[in-house]
Amino acid sequence: MAKVIDYFFGIGSPWAFIGLDAFSEMASRHGAVIRPHVISLIEDNGGIYSRNRPEARRAYWTKDLKRWAVLRGKTLNFENRAALSDPTPAGFMVIAAIEDGLDWLGLTRALQTAFWTDAADIGRSEVRQAIANSVGIDGTKLEECAQAEATQSIWRSNIESAKNTGVFGLPTFRYEDELYWGQDSLPFLERHLNGEKIAV
């Protein structure tokens, strides 16, 4: 029986961006199936957006992101980000790709790289469509699906399911009903995949 990992993430999460490749490579090594759930932070469960944190914590958050980015071989661009629009619609596009059986992982990687490395405004429809086209997906068609009520309904359902599961931050991984929050928890997830779950 295949191992299945529920993956709760968002395109606008820098931590999800930093950990994406390490996670997907781990899942591949273990022959695990990734079951993706595009969501937002779950504030009702204690998720806190960086803009709502005290300055000292935001400063440390930025430094820690840069450290992890170096370790993961990622480039983060923090310049001129205030002008970028909400990346949430890019998540709708990924949901549409998931539903259509398309390469959602490749699309996610491309959208996150555009947003976090290139500071591209993926909140704009034409930018998202061009990125989808660049990974071999019909951007116009996918954008239409992304804006459909069915996709919006999945987004809301994903958030409600995550909330009921106890998820609060991104990314979060669930394997055999055990939650692992943050890309820095991947070593614990891998131990669990190896049958060496740490009992707590």
Side-chain angles (χ1 to χ4, degrees), residues 31-44:
V33 174
I34 299 173
R35 188 159 53 196
H37 308 271
V38 182
I39 64 169
S40 61
L41 281 178
I42 311 296
E43 293 183 279
D44 287 350

Side-chain angles (χ1 to χ4, degrees), residues 14-34:
W15 295 112
F17 166 58
I18 288 172
L20 180 65
D21 291 337
F23 169 56
S24 61
E25 289 163 9
M26 175 192 297
S28 180
R29 286 197 307 273
H30 289 272
V33 174
I34 299 173

